[in-house]
Amino acid sequence: MLVKLSSSALKQTRWYEYGVRFLLGGLATVLTGVVSSRFGVSVGGLFLALPAVFCASATLIESHERRAKKKAGLSGDRRGQQAAALDAAGAGLGSIGLAAFAAVFYAVVSTTAIGAFAAAILAWAAVSVSAWWLRRKLRITSRAAPAERIAPSTRRRGILP
């Protein structure tokens, strides 16, 4: 899978889906404000790490995939779940990058605010892309490993050529 920017999703999204995203994002923001006022800004800041639109995005991705498969005459339930799960995995990898952003910004901001933003953005991009690449490599390796372990033993027994 290549990382790319595509505007085709904007054409596929219905107007009310933007409303759902806005509503759920707003509710997540209000919840963060309530938690912050009740338990302090340190605890409230932890809730800001939850992307406000993730909840809405996951449900919308699932419904888009399901709808596309139904147009093709297939049941799209499993495909929708897999697409939402892939989006969640991407959000998790992005969160690792967000932690790197926060650490670099905290370390550099006392020197220069603009430099802190620049360094933090570079750290976020490098860590997020590296995490994505590492996940992809480990996933391919983990799929190939069982086949490699099975093949030598079956060859010794004469089951496979």
Side-chain angles (χ1 to χ4, degrees):
M1 171 195 289
L2 295 174
V3 177
K4 62 181 179 177
L5 181 64
S6 173
S7 63
S8 64
L10 296 174
K11 298 173 189 169
Q12 296 173 354
T13 305
R14 297 185 171 140
W15 68 269
Y16 62 85
E17 292 173 332
Y18 288 110
V20 168
R21 286 182 180 177
F22 181 79
L23 179 67
L24 290 177
L27 287 174
T29 304
V30 168
L31 175 67
T32 300
V34 169
V35 167
S36 182
S37 66
R38 173 79 172 112
F39 298 104
V41 294
S42 296
V43 175
L46 294 174
F47 282 86
L48 287 175
L50 170 70
V53 295
F54 174 72
C55 303
S57 295
T59 58
L60 293 175
I61 287 169
E62 189 267 340
S63 68
H64 282 199
E65 289 296 322
R66 209 172 358 104
R67 192 178 322 130
K69 286 293 181 182
K70 284 186 181 182
K71 279 184 182 178
L74 303 168
S75 172
D77 292 341
R78 181 144 170 88
R79 172 69 179 192
Q81 292 169 353
Q82 289 173 339
L86 184 61
D87 187 56
L93 295 175
S95 295
I96 296 168
L98 183 61
F101 178 97
V104 169
F105 187 83
Y106 180 79
V108 180
V109 74
S110 61
T111 308
T112 170
I114 294 173
F117 274 114
I121 288 170
L122 289 174
W124 167 78
V127 169
S128 295
V129 171
S130 297
W132 171 82
W133 180 83
L134 183 63
R135 179 192 173 272
R136 184 172 182 211
K137 288 298 178 188
L138 290 175
R139 185 171 167 226
I140 290 169
T141 304
S142 65
R143 274 195 222 160
E148 292 169 359
R149 278 183 270 163
I150 293 170
S153 63
T154 54
R155 284 189 189 126
R156 275 181 272 174
R157 287 186 238 149
I159 298 172
L160 293 174

